[in-house]
Amino acid sequence: MTNKEIGSKFQELAQLMEFHGENPFKIRTYQNVYATLRKLNEEVGTLTEEQLQSIKGIGSAVAGKIRELEDHGEMRTLRKYQDMTPAGVQEMLTIRGLGPKKIRMLYDHLQIESVGELRYAILENRLLELPGFGVKTQEDILQKIQYFQEAKGQFRLATLDVVAERLLTRIKAIVPEWEGQPTGDFRRRMQVLSEIAFLVPTVQLKQIGTWASELFTSYQQSNGELAGIFDEIYPVRFYGADDANWGSELAKTTGGHMWESFEMPAQPFQSEAEVFNALQLPYITPECRDLRIPDYSTFDPDALIRASDIKGMIHVHTTYSDGINSLDEMAAAAKSSGYEYLVITDHSKSAVYANGLTVDRLRNQWDAIDAWNRNHAFTILKGIECDILTDGSMDYDSDVLREFEVVIASIHAQLKMDEEKATNRLIRAIEHPNVHILGHLTGRLLLSRAGYPVNHQKVIDACASNQVSIELNANPFRLDIDWTWIPYACDKGVRIAINPDAHSVRGYEDITYGITAARKAGLKRSECLNVLGKQDFIDYIRSK
Ligand SMILES: [Zn+2]
Ligand SMILES: [Zn+2]
């Protein structure tokens, strides 16, 4: 082992001990070993016991541990602390600049056990309630974990969209006549993906090739393809094509599950429309090419939901619970974006971490909503995101629940459940007579936290028999219900509510990712809940 490797083991030990609140003197000793070893000229493995112990800061205990590492590649004390620390916490400790003290506080106060949970807690502003954590600290930590996670090679679509924009600005400075087009998983709008891809005219691919060393951290070129790493971590791929085979190459590089049922025509085509024509199919929208439908010939691209079809924003938080913007600000923003109505759904009373609403504070909010509605030509509906408690009961009595115009039921706590427990918990909530919409069905956070396991079929069936709509949570971290289950829900007649779960005015923009996921599922306008105009929406909700 090198001095650096050995030093890192001591550093890890010191961090774990600090997390567990051990003797600060010992911790300091182990912290110093790292610095000491890094300064040594010779490798410690070559030193005798005596030489080792003569180094300032290395006593017999430390020397013994170094020997252990040299001889067995392992240190028992370190193993002991690793075993008593959740894996997610150990991962958090490897994020530079976060540190054991902060992690301990997050663990104790917010039960945060993984990088994913931490990331999401920041997005919900939950760190602000802790001493020493301000908006600045939150942002700082968010940046650190963003880099940490994405360095692992998987990205959320929303992240790559931003990167792609930055990349295109650079490219267009080099290739002003840029005619590239997105392709691959990126064009099919996969929610988690490993690269950005473009189809590019061969001439322009050559131009990019000439500038590759300026554009990319590293790159490779072969067979009319160029693959590079942009901004140190983001993989980008360019495929070359010409007018004569543009359509065929675009269809081929876009890919998708549908090509398991269809053979790509051998003859080259200029446009994708011609490719589908040759197959006697309607034009299959790129994001829909992963659909597993028995008969693609009935596919109607014009029936697919579009962002402009959405009439109302459902599932919005304000400063009454854990949102950043006030009720007035959220309402004004929804109104000026042209929506007809807004369903404000702050957290219910058990969600203490999110400043959940007591019945008294609810009444204040309702007064504020009434006042707004009197003074504006725009309707706020009184909603709630009501916690589903551990046993599946709701967080308010029915008397209170009845007073809301819209009730979303969501699970936020006690997420560790087996499939049966989770499924029953959800179904009990769905069967509650005052529940209208089931919020983020599995609780998953993409690339951050797996959801609890659920029997989707049973949950969807229960929604169908109780006229409960299912939310497609549009937050790019959630996109929950998973799009692959939407066709089944629609078959059963369940309406899909595409909800931003906005915690700020900016959060409204997430709706586009919900629309994308819905389109991937082939969701038709008529199958969505919030395409209904205000009165139709109210009538539909009340008809339960
Ligand atoms: Zn929620
Ligand atoms: Zn929410």
Side-chain angles (χ1 to χ4, degrees):
M1 275 187 172
T2 64
N3 288 357
K4 190 181 171 193
E5 284 165 341
I6 293 175
S8 304
K9 297 282 180 195
F10 279 93
Q11 202 177 33
E12 187 185 350
L13 177 62
Q15 284 188 322
L16 286 168
M17 288 176 73
E18 197 177 346
F19 177 80
H20 288 285
E22 303 291 7
N23 179 339
F25 179 74
K26 274 194 182 170
I27 294 170
R28 178 58 52 86
T29 306
Y30 296 141
Q31 273 168 350
N32 290 341
V33 174
Y34 181 77
T36 308
L37 294 186
R38 293 300 306 274
K39 275 184 283 183
L40 278 186
N41 292 323
E42 57 275 88
E43 295 290 342
V44 282
T46 63
L47 302 180
T48 64
E49 197 72 24
E50 210 176 330
Q51 287 171 316
L52 198 54
Q53 287 197 36
S54 70
I55 300 168
K56 189 168 175 285
I58 296 186
S60 59
V62 170
K65 289 186 169 62
I66 292 176
R67 279 284 155 257
E68 240 189 294
L69 281 170
E70 286 286 356
D71 297 346
H72 310 289
E74 215 187 50
M75 190 204 301
R76 269 167 304 163
T77 321
L78 177 59
R79 165 73 44 211
K80 184 184 95 185
Y81 281 101
Q82 285 170 336
D83 287 347
M84 59 198 258
T85 315
V89 169
Q90 292 184 48
E91 197 176 42
M92 282 198 275
L93 285 167
T94 62
I95 300 175
R96 248 168 238 271
L98 190 51
K101 278 204 187 65
K102 282 205 178 75
I103 294 173
R104 183 78 220 188
M105 203 181 303
L106 296 165
Y107 180 79
D108 286 342
H109 295 274
L110 302 174
Q111 287 79 49
I112 290 172
E113 279 191 31
S114 71
V115 179
E117 288 171 351
L118 173 57
R119 183 169 186 163
Y120 202 73
I122 292 173
L123 296 179
E124 294 199 327
N125 298 314
R126 288 178 54 196
L127 270 54
L128 298 182
E129 70 203 63
L130 300 180
F133 286 78
V135 176
K136 179 85 185 51
T137 325
Q138 274 209 141
E139 270 170 21
D140 198 41
I141 297 177
L142 186 63
Q143 272 195 342
K144 286 184 176 107
I145 55 189
Q146 179 137 341
Y147 195 83
F148 172 84
Q149 281 188 317
E150 296 185 340
K152 288 194 226 167
Q154 289 273 299
F155 308 88
R156 270 171 296 270
L157 181 60
T159 307
L160 290 193
D161 277 344
V162 176
V163 176
E165 220 169 285
R166 208 160 60 226
L167 171 67
L168 285 180
T169 312
R170 297 279 307 278
I171 289 181
K172 283 174 189 165
I174 297 161
V175 189
E177 263 92 65
W178 171 252
E179 286 171 274
Q181 229 183 310
T183 190
D185 288 0
F186 185 56
R187 182 172 184 231
R188 294 200 329 284
R189 312 260 78 199
M190 296 300 282
Q191 48 208 20
V192 169
L193 62 173
S194 58
E195 65 177 21
I196 300 169
F198 293 101
L199 186 70
V200 188
T202 319
V203 209
Q204 300 192 345
L205 184 65
K206 285 209 183 92
Q207 286 175 281
I208 295 172
T210 339
W211 290 89
S213 58
E214 299 252 324
L215 282 169
F216 306 111
T217 316
S218 64
Y219 69 97
Q220 279 181 326
Q221 241 172 324
S222 63
N223 304 332
E225 261 184 63
L226 190 153
I229 302 292
F230 181 65
D231 268 4
E232 293 183 17
I233 51 170
Y234 304 108
V236 190
R237 190 176 298 277
F238 302 87
Y239 301 95
D242 293 306
D243 280 352
N245 64 353
W246 187 267
S248 309
E249 288 304 305
L250 187 57
K252 199 169 91 193
T253 54
T254 298
H257 280 306
M258 68 167 291
W259 298 108
E260 287 163 18
S261 321
F262 297 95
E263 189 93 28
M264 194 78 66
Q267 177 199 351
F269 287 106
Q270 291 192 352
S271 74
E272 268 194 328
E274 292 170 291
V275 175
F276 288 106
N277 240 334
L279 293 167
Q280 294 183 308
L281 288 176
Y283 179 76
I284 312 291
T285 319
E287 59 266 39
C288 296
R289 293 181 200 171
D290 291 301
L291 275 176
R292 295 177 194 272
I293 45 178
D295 188 3
Y296 270 97
S297 68
T298 59
F299 182 84
D300 177 9
D302 295 327
L304 282 180
I305 182 97
R306 291 193 200 104
S308 56
D309 296 323
I310 299 293
K311 299 278 176 8
M313 283 282 121
I314 311 174
H315 196 162
V316 170
H317 297 270
T318 71
T319 44
Y320 276 92
S321 66
D322 59 350
I324 285 191
N325 292 107
S326 68
L327 188 142
D328 282 19
E329 287 166 341
M330 292 306 280
K335 180 172 185 279
S336 72
S337 300
Y339 297 108
E340 282 181 29
Y341 56 97
L342 173 66
V343 184
I344 297 235
T345 57
D346 276 304
H347 286 286
S348 61
K349 66 178 192 308
S350 284
V352 180
Y353 65 85
N355 193 21
L357 290 166
T358 58
V359 176
D360 278 350
R361 293 182 53 232
L362 267 177
R363 306 225 175 264
N364 291 341
Q365 189 183 52
W366 292 342
D367 289 345
I369 291 176
D370 288 336
W372 168 279
N373 286 341
R374 268 195 306 276
N375 297 322
H376 298 85
F378 177 83
T379 306
I380 304 178
L381 296 170
K382 294 166 188 156
I384 189 77
E385 181 176 21
C386 187
D387 262 54
I388 302 173
L389 305 180
T390 319
D391 62 357
S393 61
M394 301 301 289
D395 194 18
Y396 294 114
D397 294 339
S398 295
D399 295 354
V400 178
L401 281 182
R402 257 195 296 275
E403 292 192 63
F404 293 106
E405 296 175 280
V406 182
V407 175
I408 300 177
S410 307
I411 291 180
H412 293 109
Q414 316 272 205
L415 304 182
K416 290 193 180 102
M417 301 176 277
D418 62 21
E419 181 178 308
E420 197 189 348
K421 174 120 205 293
T423 305
N424 291 339
R425 185 173 172 187
L426 288 174
I427 290 178
R428 185 165 171 211
I430 292 162
E431 287 173 345
H432 192 291
N434 299 112
V435 169
H436 305 111
I437 300 172
L438 178 62
H440 44 72
L441 198 147
T442 71
R444 75 171 179 193
L445 301 175
L446 291 168
L447 294 181
S448 299
R449 176 176 83 199
Y452 36 82
V454 291
N455 184 324
H456 277 82
Q457 209 159 320
K458 281 190 185 166
V459 169
I460 292 168
D461 291 350
C463 288
S465 15
N466 291 280
Q467 208 193 308
V468 167
S469 302
I470 296 181
E471 166 178 279
L472 166 51
N473 192 297
N475 185 312
F477 283 79
R478 293 193 183 266
L479 300 174
D480 186 11
I481 182 172
D482 191 79
W483 67 268
T484 53
W485 280 101
I486 291 178
Y488 179 78
C490 293
D491 268 358
K492 295 280 160 182
V494 175
R495 288 261 191 173
I496 303 296
I498 305 176
N499 298 347
D501 196 358
H503 285 72
S504 64
V505 165
R506 247 177 48 199
Y508 283 140
E509 291 168 18
D510 286 347
I511 198 82
T512 52
Y513 286 94
I515 298 286
T516 298
R519 286 171 65 89
K520 263 197 99 50
L523 188 79
K524 300 186 185 77
R525 208 164 295 133
S526 56
E527 295 164 330
C528 173
L529 178 66
N530 38 339
V531 296
L532 295 176
K534 185 181 81 185
Q535 199 50 51
D536 288 340
F537 174 76
I538 294 173
D539 291 346
Y540 182 84
I541 291 287
R542 284 199 189 143
S543 68
K544 173 175 167 164

